Amino acid sequence: MKFGETFKEYLHGDQEWFLDKVSHVEYKRLKKVLKSCRRCKALHEGNSTIEQADVEQQQNPTLSRFCQCQSCPVCDQMFFTELMREATDIAGCFSSRVRHLLHLHVPRGMQRYVLRLRQCFKNDQQALVEEGLMLIEYITMNAIAIRKILKKYDKVHSSANGKKFKSKLRAEHLELLQSPWLIELGALSLNFKGSDDGEAFIQFSGSFSCNLDEMEPVMTLVLPHSIKLEYNLKCAICLEIVFNSYALSCGHLFCKSCACSAASVMIFQGLKASSPDSKCPICREAGVYANAVHMLELDLLIKNRHKDYWKERAIAERAEMVKQSKVYWESQTKYVVGY
C-alpha cells in the first residue's frame, strides 16, 4: 500500500476524534501542489504529455505556470510556508500533550497528593498507555509524511530544496523525531514495561529499547517503514550516562551539574539563571539553556535500571551543591558586611 493511502486511513481511522482537534500534515493538498509542477516541467522540457497537463490546468486553476524545474515561486510559497506552519503546530501540540501525560505519571507538588487520592478510586495507568501509543503514532505518521513529501518535491523539481528545508527544520528545532519529548515518551514506555501483561502495555514498550550497559548507552526507537532511531544517553562533558539530565533547546543531553558548569551557573541556581549568551558545549548555539527540558522520566528509568550508579551520582551532586552553596553565601556575606 502506498503511503498516501496509509496516511489517509490513519486520518480517518480510530483516532479521527483526536486528529480533528490537532494539526497534521495536509499530505493530499501538498501532493496536489506538486502535481501542478509536473505540467510546468513538461512545458519546460517540451514533453509530449503537455496536452494532458493542459487538461489538468483547466481542472485546477491554482496550478503553477511559473515552475522552471529547480525553482517555482508559486509552488514554493504555498508548499514550504504551509509545511513550516504545520511542522511548528505539530511539534507544539506533541510537546504539550506529552508534558501533560508525564505530569500525570510523575506528579510534583500538591498534584502528587491529588493524583494519589484519585488513584484510590480510579486506575489511570491504562489511559496513560493508550494516550502514549496515540502520541507515538501521531508524531511518527506526521514525520514520515514530511519526509515523503519533501522527497517527492526534490524528485519533481530535480532539486535539493527539500533536503535544504530538512536542514532548516533541524536548525529551527522542529525535526519531529529528534524531539526530547519523544525520548521522554520512550522512557515512560520502558518504565511501564513489565508492569502489566496487557496487550496495550506490550505494544507501548515494544517500539523502544534501552541499553545502558555498553560503553555507548543508547535508547533505540523502531518505527514503521524501516525507520530506526538511536538516541545517545552519554553526557558529552563527563562522558558518563546522563544523570538528572536536561535537554537543551538545541536537542543535546547533559547532566544537570555538567550543564550548569558549562553555563557558568551554580547547581542550586538552575539553568534558568544562565546568561542568554551561554552556548551549548557541542553545537555552540547560544540561548539554549533557558527553555531546557528536565528529563524526569529518563532519570527515573536510569534510577530503576542502575540503582547503584544513580545513588552514587546523587550523593556526589548533593555534596557539590552544598559546597557551591557554602561558597556562594560566604561571598554574599562578605559583600554585604564589606570585608
Side-chain angles (χ1 to χ4, degrees):
M1 183 184 293
K2 292 184 177 181
F3 177 76
E5 296 174 0
T6 304
F7 194 68
K8 184 179 180 181
E9 284 187 5
Y10 167 70
L11 294 178
H12 299 288
D14 297 335
Q15 299 178 15
E16 187 174 3
W17 61 271
F18 166 72
L19 296 169
D20 287 340
K21 301 177 184 177
V22 298
S23 298
H24 58 81
V25 176
E26 295 290 346
Y27 188 80
K28 187 176 180 180
R29 183 165 48 154
L30 292 173
K31 200 172 177 182
K32 283 184 178 178
V33 173
L34 292 182
K35 193 175 180 181
S36 69
C37 291
R38 290 180 179 172
R39 175 188 180 277
C40 306
K41 191 172 183 180
L43 286 169
H44 182 66
E45 297 177 353
N47 198 301
S48 59
T49 60
I50 191 169
E51 293 181 359
Q52 182 181 353
D54 285 333
V55 174
E56 292 180 359
Q57 172 71 34
Q58 292 175 1
Q59 292 175 349
N60 189 349
T62 63
L63 296 182
S64 168
R65 289 196 178 102
F66 305 103
C67 180
Q68 300 296 323
C69 294
Q70 294 186 1
S71 175
C72 174
V74 175
C75 176
D76 285 0
Q77 184 178 8
M78 294 173 63
F79 187 86
F80 289 120
T81 303
E82 179 73 11
L83 198 56
M84 178 60 79
R85 183 187 64 78
E86 289 171 358
T88 304
D89 292 344
I90 291 166
C93 173
F94 179 72
S95 61
S96 63
R97 291 267 180 170
V98 175
R99 190 183 295 113
H100 174 71
L101 188 68
L102 297 178
H103 283 169
L104 294 177
H105 186 238
V106 188
R108 306 175 74 177
M110 283 299 297
Q111 189 182 25
R112 179 187 307 174
Y113 302 102
V114 173
L115 288 176
R116 282 184 180 176
L117 180 63
R118 180 180 173 181
Q119 287 172 0
C120 295
F121 304 96
K122 182 181 178 182
N123 187 2
D124 292 330
Q125 199 172 68
Q126 184 70 27
L128 288 178
V129 169
E130 290 175 357
E131 187 171 352
L133 282 170
M134 183 175 63
L135 288 171
I136 289 173
E137 188 174 12
Y138 170 69
I139 199 71
T140 300
M141 292 300 292
N142 281 285
I144 294 174
I146 291 175
R147 183 177 299 186
K148 293 279 185 182
I149 202 70
L150 289 175
K151 187 176 180 181
K152 190 175 288 292
Y153 178 94
D154 283 347
K155 183 178 179 181
V156 169
H157 291 81
S158 302
S159 73
N161 289 339
K163 290 183 179 180
K164 292 178 181 177
F165 185 77
K166 276 188 191 178
S167 300
K168 186 178 180 181
L169 287 177
R170 195 175 296 114
E172 297 286 337
H173 313 308
L174 293 173
E175 194 173 12
L176 301 182
L177 294 180
Q178 296 300 322
S179 169
W181 294 109
L182 185 57
I183 300 176
E184 278 287 84
L185 200 56
L188 173 65
S189 75
L190 293 170
N191 286 329
F192 270 128
K193 194 172 186 179
S195 62
D196 196 289
D197 294 327
E199 183 180 351
F201 287 83
I202 295 172
Q203 188 180 356
F204 186 32
S205 59
S207 300
F208 291 93
S209 63
C210 187
N211 190 344
L212 300 177
D213 298 327
E214 297 183 353
M215 294 296 293
E216 293 292 332
V218 294
M219 179 184 291
T220 304
L221 170 60
V222 179
L223 299 174
H225 302 275
S226 303
I227 298 175
K228 183 179 179 180
L229 301 172
E230 291 187 347
Y231 305 99
N232 193 341
L233 302 181
K234 178 186 282 189
C235 175
I237 296 177
C238 66
L239 301 180
E240 295 188 36
I241 300 172
V242 287
F243 168 78
N244 194 14
S245 55
Y246 277 77
L248 307 187
S249 298
C250 56
H252 293 115
L253 280 175
F254 298 98
C255 307
K256 180 182 179 180
S257 57
C258 296
C260 288
S261 176
S264 301
V265 296
M266 296 187 178
I267 299 174
F268 71 90
Q269 292 175 314
L271 295 178
K272 291 189 182 296
S274 63
S275 166
D277 298 328
S278 299
K279 297 180 180 180
C280 170
I282 297 177
C283 64
R284 308 305 298 166
E285 182 177 346
V288 294
Y289 291 93
N291 296 318
V293 177
H294 193 186
M295 310 291 280
L296 292 172
E297 285 290 343
L298 180 59
D299 194 49
L300 181 60
L301 175 66
I302 295 170
K303 180 181 180 181
N304 292 335
R305 297 201 175 191
H306 276 275
K307 293 182 179 179
D308 293 339
Y309 169 78
W310 191 91
K311 187 176 180 180
E312 181 184 341
R313 289 293 304 267
I315 293 172
E317 184 179 281
R318 194 177 300 115
E320 183 63 23
M321 189 185 302
V322 171
K323 181 181 177 181
Q324 289 182 3
S325 300
K326 184 178 179 181
V327 172
Y328 175 79
W329 288 113
E330 283 180 353
S331 64
Q332 292 297 307
T333 302
K334 291 179 180 178
Y335 175 77
V336 172
V337 174
Y339 66 90

